[in-house]
Coordinates of all heavy atoms in Angstrom, one line a residue:
S42 N -23.6 -14.8 38.4 CA -22.5 -14.3 39.2 C -22.0 -15.4 40.2 O -22.0 -16.6 39.9 CB -23.0 -13.0 39.9 OG -21.9 -12.4 40.6
L43 N -21.5 -14.9 41.4 CA -20.9 -15.8 42.3 C -21.8 -16.8 42.9 O -21.5 -18.0 43.1 CB -20.3 -15.0 43.5 CG -19.1 -14.1 43.2 CD1 -18.6 -13.4 44.5 CD2 -17.9 -15.0 42.7
V44 N -23.1 -16.4 43.1 CA -24.1 -17.4 43.6 C -24.3 -18.5 42.6 O -24.3 -19.7 42.9 CB -25.4 -16.7 44.0 CG1 -26.4 -17.7 44.4 CG2 -25.2 -15.8 45.1
G45 N -24.4 -18.1 41.3 CA -24.6 -19.1 40.2 C -23.4 -20.0 40.1 O -23.6 -21.2 40.0
K46 N -22.2 -19.5 40.3 CA -21.0 -20.3 40.3 C -20.9 -21.2 41.5 O -20.5 -22.4 41.3 CB -19.7 -19.4 40.3 CG -19.4 -18.8 38.9 CD -18.0 -18.2 39.0 CE -17.9 -17.3 37.7 NZ -17.1 -16.1 37.9
A47 N -21.3 -20.7 42.6 CA -21.4 -21.6 43.8 C -22.3 -22.8 43.6 O -22.1 -23.9 44.1 CB -21.8 -20.8 45.0
R48 N -23.4 -22.5 42.9 CA -24.4 -23.6 42.7 C -23.7 -24.6 41.7 O -23.8 -25.8 41.9 CB -25.7 -23.0 42.0 CG -26.4 -22.1 43.0 CD -27.6 -21.5 42.4 NE -28.7 -22.5 42.3 CZ -29.9 -22.2 41.7 NH1 -30.1 -21.0 41.2 NH2 -30.8 -23.1 41.6
S49 N -23.1 -24.1 40.6 CA -22.5 -25.0 39.7 C -21.4 -25.8 40.3 O -21.2 -27.0 40.0 CB -21.9 -24.2 38.5 OG -22.8 -23.4 37.9
A50 N -20.7 -25.2 41.3 CA -19.6 -25.9 41.9 C -20.0 -26.9 43.0 O -19.2 -27.5 43.6 CB -18.6 -24.9 42.5
G51 N -21.3 -26.9 43.3 CA -21.9 -27.8 44.3 C -21.7 -27.3 45.7 O -21.9 -28.0 46.7
I52 N -21.3 -26.0 45.9 CA -21.1 -25.4 47.2 C -22.5 -25.1 47.8 O -22.8 -25.2 49.0 CB -20.2 -24.2 47.2 CG1 -18.8 -24.5 46.7 CG2 -20.2 -23.5 48.5 CD1 -18.0 -23.3 46.4
L53 N -23.4 -24.7 46.9 CA -24.7 -24.2 47.3 C -25.7 -25.0 46.4 O -25.7 -25.0 45.2 CB -24.8 -22.7 47.0 CG -26.0 -22.0 47.4 CD1 -26.1 -22.0 49.0 CD2 -25.9 -20.5 47.0
D54 N -26.7 -25.6 47.1 CA -27.8 -26.4 46.4 C -29.1 -25.6 46.7 O -29.7 -25.7 47.8 CB -27.8 -27.8 47.0 CG -28.9 -28.6 46.5 OD1 -29.6 -28.2 45.5 OD2 -29.2 -29.7 47.0
V55 N -29.5 -24.8 45.7 CA -30.7 -24.0 45.9 C -31.8 -24.7 45.1 O -31.7 -25.0 43.9 CB -30.5 -22.6 45.3 CG1 -31.8 -21.8 45.6 CG2 -29.4 -21.8 46.0
R56 N -33.0 -24.9 45.8 CA -34.1 -25.4 45.1 C -35.3 -24.5 45.3 O -35.6 -24.1 46.5 CB -34.5 -26.8 45.7 CG -33.3 -27.7 45.6 CD -33.5 -29.1 46.1 NE -32.3 -29.8 46.2 CZ -32.1 -31.1 46.5 NH1 -33.2 -31.8 46.6 NH2 -30.9 -31.6 46.6
V57 N -35.9 -24.1 44.2 CA -37.0 -23.1 44.3 C -38.3 -23.9 44.0 O -38.4 -24.6 43.0 CB -36.8 -22.0 43.2 CG1 -38.0 -21.0 43.3 CG2 -35.5 -21.2 43.5
H58 N -39.3 -23.7 44.9 CA -40.5 -24.5 44.8 C -41.7 -23.5 44.6 O -41.7 -22.4 45.2 CB -40.8 -25.2 46.1 CG -39.6 -26.0 46.6 ND1 -39.4 -27.3 46.2 CD2 -38.6 -25.7 47.4 CE1 -38.4 -27.8 46.8 NE2 -37.8 -26.9 47.5
D59 N -42.6 -23.9 43.7 CA -43.9 -23.2 43.5 C -44.9 -23.6 44.6 O -45.3 -24.8 44.7 CB -44.4 -23.5 42.1 CG -45.6 -22.6 41.8 OD1 -46.2 -22.0 42.7 OD2 -46.0 -22.5 40.6
L60 N -45.2 -22.6 45.5 CA -46.1 -22.9 46.6 C -47.4 -23.6 46.1 O -48.1 -24.4 46.8 CB -46.4 -21.6 47.4 CG -47.4 -21.8 48.6 CD1 -46.7 -22.6 49.7 CD2 -47.8 -20.4 49.1
R61 N -47.8 -23.2 44.9 CA -49.1 -23.7 44.4 C -49.1 -25.2 44.2 O -50.2 -25.8 44.0 CB -49.5 -22.9 43.1 CG -49.8 -21.4 43.3 CD -50.4 -20.8 42.1 NE -50.3 -19.3 42.1 CZ -51.1 -18.6 42.8 NH1 -52.2 -19.1 43.4 NH2 -51.0 -17.3 42.8
D62 N -47.9 -25.8 44.1 CA -47.9 -27.2 44.0 C -48.5 -27.9 45.2 O -48.7 -29.1 45.2 CB -46.4 -27.7 43.8 CG -45.8 -27.3 42.5 OD1 -46.6 -26.9 41.6 OD2 -44.6 -27.4 42.3
W63 N -48.7 -27.2 46.3 CA -49.3 -27.8 47.5 C -50.7 -27.4 47.7 O -51.3 -27.7 48.7 CB -48.4 -27.4 48.7 CG -47.2 -28.2 48.8 CD1 -47.1 -29.5 49.4 CD2 -45.9 -27.9 48.4 NE1 -45.8 -29.9 49.3 CE2 -45.0 -28.9 48.7 CE3 -45.4 -26.8 47.7 CZ2 -43.7 -28.9 48.3 CZ3 -44.0 -26.7 47.4 CH2 -43.2 -27.8 47.7
T64 N -51.3 -26.8 46.7 CA -52.8 -26.5 46.8 C -53.5 -27.7 46.3 O -53.0 -28.6 45.7 CB -53.1 -25.3 45.8 OG1 -52.7 -25.6 44.5 CG2 -52.5 -24.0 46.3
L65 N -54.8 -27.8 46.7 CA -55.6 -29.0 46.4 C -56.8 -28.6 45.5 O -57.5 -29.6 45.1 CB -56.2 -29.6 47.8 CG -55.1 -30.0 48.8 CD1 -55.8 -30.5 50.1 CD2 -54.2 -31.0 48.2
D66 N -57.0 -27.4 45.2 CA -58.2 -27.0 44.4 C -57.8 -26.7 43.0 O -56.6 -26.5 42.7 CB -58.9 -25.8 45.0 CG -58.0 -24.5 45.0 OD1 -56.8 -24.7 45.3 OD2 -58.5 -23.5 44.6
R67 N -58.7 -26.7 42.1 CA -58.6 -26.5 40.7 C -57.9 -25.2 40.3 O -57.1 -25.1 39.4 CB -60.0 -26.6 40.1 CG -60.1 -26.8 38.6 CD -61.5 -27.4 38.3 NE -62.6 -26.4 38.6 CZ -63.0 -25.5 37.7 NH1 -62.4 -25.3 36.6 NH2 -64.0 -24.7 38.0
H68 N -58.2 -24.2 41.2 CA -57.6 -22.8 40.9 C -56.3 -22.6 41.5 O -55.7 -21.5 41.4 CB -58.6 -21.7 41.4 CG -60.0 -21.9 40.7 ND1 -60.2 -21.6 39.4 CD2 -61.2 -22.3 41.2 CE1 -61.4 -21.8 39.1 NE2 -62.1 -22.2 40.1
R69 N -55.8 -23.6 42.2 CA -54.5 -23.5 42.9 C -54.4 -22.3 43.8 O -53.5 -21.5 43.8 CB -53.4 -23.5 41.9 CG -53.3 -24.9 41.2 CD -52.5 -24.9 39.9 NE -51.1 -24.3 39.9 CZ -50.0 -25.0 40.2 NH1 -50.1 -26.3 40.5 NH2 -48.9 -24.5 40.1
T70 N -55.4 -22.2 44.7 CA -55.6 -21.0 45.5 C -54.6 -21.0 46.7 O -54.6 -22.0 47.5 CB -57.1 -20.9 46.1 OG1 -57.9 -21.1 45.0 CG2 -57.3 -19.6 46.8
V71 N -54.0 -19.9 47.0 CA -53.0 -19.8 48.1 C -53.5 -18.7 49.1 O -52.8 -18.6 50.2 CB -51.6 -19.5 47.6 CG1 -51.0 -20.6 46.8 CG2 -51.5 -18.1 46.9
D72 N -54.5 -17.9 48.8 CA -54.9 -16.8 49.7 C -56.4 -16.8 49.9 O -57.1 -17.5 49.2 CB -54.4 -15.5 49.0 CG -55.1 -15.3 47.7 OD1 -55.3 -16.3 47.0 OD2 -55.4 -14.1 47.3
D73 N -56.8 -16.0 50.9 CA -58.2 -15.8 51.2 C -58.4 -14.5 51.9 O -57.4 -13.8 52.3 CB -58.8 -17.0 52.0 CG -60.2 -17.3 51.6 OD1 -61.0 -16.3 51.4 OD2 -60.5 -18.5 51.5
T74 N -59.6 -14.1 52.1 CA -59.9 -12.8 52.7 C -59.5 -12.8 54.2 O -59.6 -13.9 54.9 CB -61.4 -12.4 52.6 OG1 -62.2 -13.6 53.1 CG2 -61.8 -12.2 51.2
P75 N -59.1 -11.7 54.8 CA -58.7 -11.7 56.2 C -59.9 -11.8 57.2 O -60.9 -11.1 57.0 CB -58.0 -10.3 56.4 CG -58.5 -9.5 55.2 CD -59.0 -10.4 54.1
F76 N -59.8 -12.6 58.2 CA -60.7 -12.6 59.3 C -60.7 -11.2 59.9 O -59.6 -10.7 60.1 CB -60.4 -13.7 60.3 CG -60.9 -15.1 59.9 CD1 -59.9 -16.1 59.8 CD2 -62.2 -15.3 59.6 CE1 -60.3 -17.4 59.4 CE2 -62.6 -16.6 59.2 CZ -61.7 -17.6 59.1
G77 N -61.8 -10.7 60.3 CA -61.9 -9.4 60.9 C -62.0 -8.3 59.9 O -62.1 -7.1 60.3
G78 N -62.0 -8.6 58.6 CA -62.2 -7.6 57.6 C -61.0 -6.9 57.2 O -59.9 -7.1 57.8
G79 N -61.1 -5.9 56.4 CA -59.9 -5.1 56.0 C -59.5 -5.4 54.6 O -60.0 -6.3 53.9
A80 N -58.5 -4.6 54.1 CA -58.1 -4.7 52.7 C -57.2 -5.9 52.5 O -56.5 -6.4 53.4 CB -57.3 -3.4 52.4
G81 N -57.1 -6.3 51.2 CA -56.1 -7.3 50.8 C -56.5 -8.7 51.2 O -57.5 -9.0 51.7
M82 N -55.6 -9.6 50.8 CA -55.7 -11.0 51.0 C -54.6 -11.6 51.9 O -53.5 -11.0 51.9 CB -55.7 -11.8 49.7 CG -56.8 -11.3 48.7 SD -58.4 -11.7 49.2 CE -58.6 -13.3 48.5
V83 N -54.9 -12.7 52.5 CA -53.9 -13.3 53.4 C -53.5 -14.7 52.9 O -54.4 -15.4 52.4 CB -54.4 -13.4 54.9 CG1 -53.5 -14.1 55.8 CG2 -54.7 -11.9 55.4
M84 N -52.3 -15.1 53.0 CA -51.9 -16.4 52.5 C -52.4 -17.5 53.5 O -52.2 -17.4 54.7 CB -50.4 -16.5 52.3 CG -50.0 -15.5 51.2 SD -48.3 -15.8 50.7 CE -48.5 -16.7 49.2
R85 N -52.9 -18.6 53.0 CA -53.6 -19.6 53.8 C -52.6 -20.5 54.5 O -51.6 -21.0 53.9 CB -54.5 -20.5 52.9 CG -55.7 -19.8 52.3 CD -56.4 -20.7 51.4 NE -56.8 -21.9 52.2 CZ -58.1 -22.2 52.5 NH1 -59.1 -21.4 52.0 NH2 -58.4 -23.3 53.1
P86 N -52.9 -20.8 55.8 CA -51.9 -21.6 56.6 C -51.9 -23.1 56.2 O -50.9 -23.7 56.3 CB -52.4 -21.5 58.0 CG -53.9 -21.1 57.9 CD -54.0 -20.3 56.6
D87 N -53.1 -23.6 55.7 CA -53.1 -25.0 55.3 C -52.2 -25.3 54.1 O -51.5 -26.3 54.1 CB -54.5 -25.5 55.1 CG -55.3 -24.6 54.1 OD1 -54.8 -23.5 53.7 OD2 -56.4 -25.0 53.6
V88 N -52.1 -24.4 53.2 CA -51.2 -24.6 52.0 C -49.8 -24.5 52.5 O -49.0 -25.4 52.2 CB -51.5 -23.5 50.9 CG1 -50.6 -23.8 49.7 CG2 -53.0 -23.6 50.5
W89 N -49.5 -23.5 53.2 CA -48.1 -23.3 53.7 C -47.7 -24.5 54.6 O -46.6 -25.0 54.5 CB -47.9 -22.0 54.5 CG -47.6 -20.8 53.7 CD1 -48.4 -19.8 53.3 CD2 -46.4 -20.6 53.0 NE1 -47.8 -18.9 52.5 CE2 -46.5 -19.4 52.2 CE3 -45.2 -21.3 52.9 CZ2 -45.5 -18.9 51.5 CZ3 -44.1 -20.8 52.1 CH2 -44.3 -19.6 51.4
G90 N -48.6 -25.0 55.4 CA -48.3 -26.1 56.3 C -47.9 -27.4 55.5 O -46.9 -28.0 55.9
R91 N -48.7 -27.7 54.5 CA -48.3 -28.9 53.7 C -47.0 -28.7 53.0 O -46.1 -29.6 53.0 CB -49.4 -29.1 52.6 CG -50.7 -29.8 53.1 CD -51.6 -30.2 51.9 NE -52.1 -29.1 51.2 CZ -53.2 -28.4 51.5 NH1 -53.9 -28.7 52.5 NH2 -53.6 -27.4 50.7
A92 N -46.8 -27.5 52.5 CA -45.5 -27.3 51.8 C -44.3 -27.3 52.8 O -43.3 -28.0 52.5 CB -45.5 -25.9 51.1
L93 N -44.4 -26.6 53.9 CA -43.3 -26.6 54.8 C -43.0 -27.9 55.5 O -41.9 -28.3 55.7 CB -43.6 -25.5 55.9 CG -43.4 -24.0 55.3 CD1 -43.9 -23.0 56.3 CD2 -42.0 -23.7 54.8
D94 N -44.1 -28.6 55.9 CA -43.8 -30.0 56.4 C -43.0 -30.8 55.5 O -42.0 -31.5 56.0 CB -45.2 -30.7 56.7 CG -45.9 -30.2 57.9 OD1 -45.4 -29.4 58.6 OD2 -47.1 -30.6 58.1
E95 N -43.3 -30.7 54.2 CA -42.5 -31.6 53.3 C -41.1 -31.0 53.1 O -40.1 -31.8 53.2 CB -43.2 -31.6 51.9 CG -42.6 -32.6 51.0 CD -43.4 -32.7 49.7 OE1 -44.6 -32.6 49.7 OE2 -42.7 -33.0 48.7
V96 N -41.0 -29.7 52.9 CA -39.6 -29.2 52.6 C -38.7 -29.2 53.9 O -37.5 -29.4 53.8 CB -39.7 -27.8 52.0 CG1 -38.4 -27.1 51.9 CG2 -40.4 -27.8 50.7
L97 N -39.3 -29.0 55.0 CA -38.5 -29.1 56.3 C -38.2 -30.5 56.7 O -37.5 -30.8 57.6 CB -39.3 -28.4 57.4 CG -39.4 -26.9 57.4 CD1 -40.4 -26.4 58.4 CD2 -38.0 -26.2 57.6
G98 N -38.8 -31.5 56.0 CA -38.6 -32.9 56.3 C -39.3 -33.3 57.6 O -39.0 -34.3 58.2
L99 N -40.4 -32.6 57.9 CA -41.1 -32.9 59.2 C -41.9 -34.1 59.0 O -42.2 -34.8 60.1 CB -42.0 -31.7 59.6 CG -41.2 -30.6 60.1 CD1 -42.0 -29.3 60.4 CD2 -40.4 -31.0 61.4
E100 N -42.3 -34.5 57.8 CA -43.1 -35.7 57.7 C -42.3 -36.9 58.2 O -42.8 -37.7 58.9 CB -43.5 -35.9 56.2 CG -44.6 -34.9 55.8 CD -44.7 -34.8 54.3 OE1 -43.7 -35.1 53.6 OE2 -45.8 -34.5 53.8
R101 N -41.0 -36.8 57.8 CA -40.1 -37.9 58.3 C -39.9 -37.9 59.8 O -40.0 -38.9 60.4 CB -38.7 -37.7 57.6 CG -38.6 -38.3 56.2 CD -37.2 -38.1 55.7 NE -37.1 -36.7 55.4 CZ -36.0 -36.0 55.7 NH1 -35.0 -36.5 56.3 NH2 -35.9 -34.7 55.3
V102 N -39.8 -36.7 60.4 CA -39.6 -36.6 61.8 C -40.8 -37.2 62.5 O -40.7 -38.0 63.5 CB -39.3 -35.1 62.2 CG1 -39.3 -35.0 63.7 CG2 -38.0 -34.6 61.7
V103 N -42.0 -36.7 62.1 CA -43.2 -37.2 62.7 C -43.3 -38.7 62.6 O -43.6 -39.4 63.6 CB -44.4 -36.4 62.2 CG1 -45.7 -37.0 62.7 CG2 -44.4 -35.0 62.5
D104 N -43.1 -39.2 61.4 CA -43.2 -40.7 61.2 C -42.3 -41.4 62.1 O -42.6 -42.5 62.7 CB -42.9 -41.1 59.8 CG -44.0 -40.7 58.8 OD1 -45.1 -40.4 59.3 OD2 -43.7 -40.6 57.6
A105 N -41.1 -40.9 62.3 CA -40.1 -41.7 63.0 C -40.2 -41.5 64.5 O -39.6 -42.2 65.3 CB -38.7 -41.2 62.6
S106 N -41.0 -40.4 64.9 CA -41.0 -40.1 66.4 C -41.6 -41.2 67.2 O -41.3 -41.3 68.4 CB -41.8 -38.8 66.6 OG -43.1 -39.0 66.2
A107 N -42.4 -42.1 66.6 CA -43.0 -43.2 67.3 C -41.8 -44.1 67.8 O -41.8 -44.6 69.0 CB -43.9 -44.0 66.5
A108 N -40.8 -44.3 67.0 CA -39.7 -45.1 67.4 C -38.6 -44.3 68.1 O -38.3 -44.5 69.3 CB -39.1 -45.8 66.2
S109 N -38.1 -43.3 67.5 CA -37.0 -42.4 68.1 C -36.9 -41.2 67.2 O -37.7 -41.0 66.3 CB -35.7 -43.2 68.1 OG -35.3 -43.5 66.8
V110 N -35.8 -40.5 67.4 CA -35.7 -39.3 66.5 C -35.2 -39.7 65.2 O -34.4 -40.7 65.0 CB -34.6 -38.3 67.2 CG1 -34.3 -37.1 66.3 CG2 -35.1 -37.9 68.5
D111 N -35.7 -39.1 64.1 CA -35.3 -39.5 62.7 C -33.8 -39.2 62.5 O -33.3 -38.1 62.7 CB -36.1 -38.6 61.7 CG -35.7 -38.9 60.3 OD1 -34.8 -39.7 60.1 OD2 -36.3 -38.3 59.4
P112 N -33.0 -40.3 62.3 CA -31.6 -40.1 62.2 C -31.1 -39.3 60.9 O -30.0 -38.8 60.9 CB -31.0 -41.5 62.2 CG -32.2 -42.3 61.7 CD -33.4 -41.6 62.1
V113 N -32.0 -39.3 59.9 CA -31.5 -38.6 58.7 C -32.0 -37.2 58.5 O -31.6 -36.5 57.6 CB -32.0 -39.4 57.4 CG1 -31.3 -40.8 57.4 CG2 -33.5 -39.5 57.3
A114 N -32.8 -36.7 59.5 CA -33.3 -35.3 59.3 C -32.2 -34.3 59.6 O -31.8 -34.2 60.8 CB -34.5 -35.1 60.2
A115 N -31.8 -33.6 58.6 CA -30.8 -32.5 58.9 C -31.4 -31.3 59.5 O -32.6 -31.0 59.2 CB -30.1 -32.1 57.5
P116 N -30.8 -30.6 60.4 CA -31.4 -29.5 61.0 C -31.7 -28.4 60.0 O -30.9 -28.2 59.1 CB -30.3 -28.9 62.0 CG -29.3 -30.0 62.1 CD -29.4 -30.9 60.9
A117 N -32.9 -27.9 60.0 CA -33.3 -26.9 59.0 C -33.7 -25.6 59.7 O -34.4 -25.6 60.8 CB -34.5 -27.4 58.2
R118 N -33.4 -24.5 59.2 CA -33.7 -23.2 59.7 C -34.8 -22.6 58.8 O -34.6 -22.3 57.7 CB -32.5 -22.3 59.8 CG -32.8 -20.8 60.2 CD -32.9 -20.7 61.7 NE -31.6 -20.6 62.3 CZ -31.1 -19.5 62.7 NH1 -31.7 -18.3 62.6 NH2 -29.9 -19.5 63.3
L119 N -36.0 -22.4 59.4 CA -37.1 -21.8 58.6 C -37.0 -20.2 58.8 O -37.0 -19.7 59.9 CB -38.4 -22.2 59.1 CG -39.7 -21.5 58.6 CD1 -39.7 -21.7 57.0 CD2 -41.0 -22.1 59.2
L120 N -36.9 -19.5 57.6 CA -36.7 -18.1 57.6 C -37.9 -17.5 56.9 O -38.2 -17.8 55.8 CB -35.4 -17.7 56.9 CG -34.2 -18.3 57.6 CD1 -33.1 -18.5 56.6 CD2 -33.7 -17.3 58.6
I121 N -38.6 -16.6 57.7 CA -39.8 -16.0 57.1 C -39.6 -14.5 57.0 O -39.4 -13.7 58.0 CB -41.0 -16.2 58.0 CG1 -41.2 -17.7 58.3 CG2 -42.3 -15.6 57.4 CD1 -42.3 -18.1 59.3
P122 N -39.4 -13.9 55.7 CA -39.2 -12.5 55.6 C -40.5 -11.8 55.9 O -41.6 -12.2 55.5 CB -38.9 -12.3 54.1 CG -38.9 -13.7 53.5 CD -39.4 -14.7 54.5
T123 N -40.4 -10.7 56.7 CA -41.6 -9.9 57.0 C -41.1 -8.5 57.5 O -40.0 -8.5 58.2 CB -42.4 -10.5 58.1 OG1 -43.3 -9.5 58.7 CG2 -41.6 -11.2 59.2

Side-chain angles (χ1 to χ4, degrees):
S42 185
L43 288 181
V44 173
K46 281 190 193 148
R48 295 177 76 181
S49 308
I52 299 170
L53 187 64
D54 174 9
V55 181
R56 303 182 193 191
V57 180
H58 309 271
D59 187 343
L60 179 70
R61 293 190 197 278
D62 290 347
W63 282 275
T64 55
L65 301 177
D66 65 316
R67 196 156 68 82
H68 301 292
R69 292 162 54 87
T70 309
V71 293
D72 59 327
D73 214 320
T74 51
F76 281 124
M82 302 293 273
V83 176
M84 296 190 100
R85 293 178 59 110
D87 51 348
V88 181
W89 273 109
R91 281 190 293 275
L93 289 172
D94 283 353
E95 188 174 329
V96 174
L97 289 166
L99 287 172
E100 288 162 332
R101 275 178 290 136
V102 171
V103 171
D104 287 344
S106 63
S109 63
V110 177
D111 179 359
V113 295
R118 174 80 82 101
L119 172 59
L120 295 153
I121 306 177
T123 160

